[in-house]
């Protein structure tokens, strides 16, 4: 992981002839003070052993439209079956590094209410419930630990959850819901 905040501008790579380099660039927002031009992404040359790499292919992944994620999930369900519990690295979609987790949970009408999803055992990523982008989670950095899940996006019966995880996931692949928010380690 390269990071402007941590002043990491290069990483060692072990590549062999024919290997393909893929770079996932994440926009974590804008700095709105002190910097007139807050450039994001690859803002210079990418080199390997002092050789400039050319002929890039860039692909955007807009996360405001759940349709592409839903199509991927449906394709995987057709391929592997909807009852199989599995973790599938989506190399054909997000390439290696990021992993898509998808699951379903049932609610009864009397169980629907505002809640908070707690991703403390996860790394960093983006969360969708019933196709609604709830936002990013990064419990190690905070200050927000839990993500607010409004009752309006939940439904009686089957609900879906999709997580694009960028760093690490718990071995059991589970998340929990909480009745109270956790902001910077403080429960309210």
């Amino acid at each position: 992981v390269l990071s402007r905040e941590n002043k990491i501008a290069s990483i060692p790579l072990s590549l062999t002839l024919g290997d393909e380099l893929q770079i996932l660039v994440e926009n974590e927002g804008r700095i709105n003070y002190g910097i007139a031009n807050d450039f994001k992404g690859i803002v210079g040359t990418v080199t390997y052993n002092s050789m400039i790499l050319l002929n890039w292919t860039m692909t955007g992944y807009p996360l405001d439209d759940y349709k592409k994620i839903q199509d991927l999930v449906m394709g995987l369900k057709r391929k592997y079956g909807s009852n199989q519990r599995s973790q599938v690295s989506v190399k054909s979609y997000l390439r290696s590094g990021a992993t898509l987790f998808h699951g379903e949970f049932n609610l009864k009408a009397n169980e629907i209410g505002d809640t908070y999803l707690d991703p403390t055992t996860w790394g960093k990523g983006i969360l969708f419930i019933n196709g609604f982008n709830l936002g990013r989670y990064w419990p190690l950095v905070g200050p927000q630990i839990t993500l607010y899940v409004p009752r309006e996006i939940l439904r009686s019966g089957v609900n879906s959850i999709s997580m694009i995880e960028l760093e690490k996931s718990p071995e059991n692949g589970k998340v929990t819901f909480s009745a109270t928010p956790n902001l910077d380690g403080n429960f309210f």
Side-chain angles (χ1 to χ4, degrees), residues 9-153:
S10 66
I11 54 173
L13 296 174
S14 295
L15 299 175
T16 59
L17 187 63
D19 284 351
E20 185 176 310
L21 175 65
Q22 297 177 358
I23 301 171
L24 174 65
V25 179
E26 178 190 13
N27 180 348
E28 292 183 345
R30 300 268 179 224
I31 296 173
N32 63 358
Y33 58 90
I35 297 176
N37 295 311
D38 184 25
F39 296 107
K40 298 289 182 176
I42 300 171
V43 295
T45 58
V46 175
T47 60
Y48 181 70
N49 287 340
S50 302
M51 182 177 69
I52 297 174
L53 302 179
L54 303 170
N55 300 320
W56 288 95
T57 300
M58 292 194 304
T59 306
Y61 296 100
L63 300 175
D64 58 344
D65 181 7
Y66 185 71
K67 176 117 176 68
K68 287 185 179 182
I69 295 171
Q70 185 177 28
D71 291 346
L72 176 64
V73 168
M74 295 309 292
L76 292 171
K77 279 185 173 183
R78 282 191 295 277
K79 184 174 180 177
Y80 296 106
S82 60
N83 292 328
Q84 181 177 343
R85 184 173 179 256
S86 63
Q87 171 185 329
V88 180
S89 181
V90 283
K91 293 184 179 186
S92 63
Y93 186 69
L94 291 173
R95 305 294 177 175
S96 59
T99 304
L100 174 67
F101 290 83
H102 177 81
E104 295 176 342
F105 58 97
N106 288 300
L107 290 175
K108 297 176 184 166
N110 64 342
E111 296 174 322
I112 296 175
D114 291 347
T115 188
Y116 300 87
L117 185 128
D118 186 351
T120 50
T121 57
W122 293 74
K124 169 186 177 185
I126 302 148
L127 172 70
F128 296 86
I129 292 188
N130 292 332
F132 183 82
N133 185 341
L134 283 178
R136 298 179 215 191
Y137 60 90
W138 197 0
L140 182 65
V141 174
Q144 170 185 314
I145 307 299
T146 55
L147 284 138
Y148 174 60
V149 182
R151 70 175 150 259
E152 289 79 14
I153 66 167

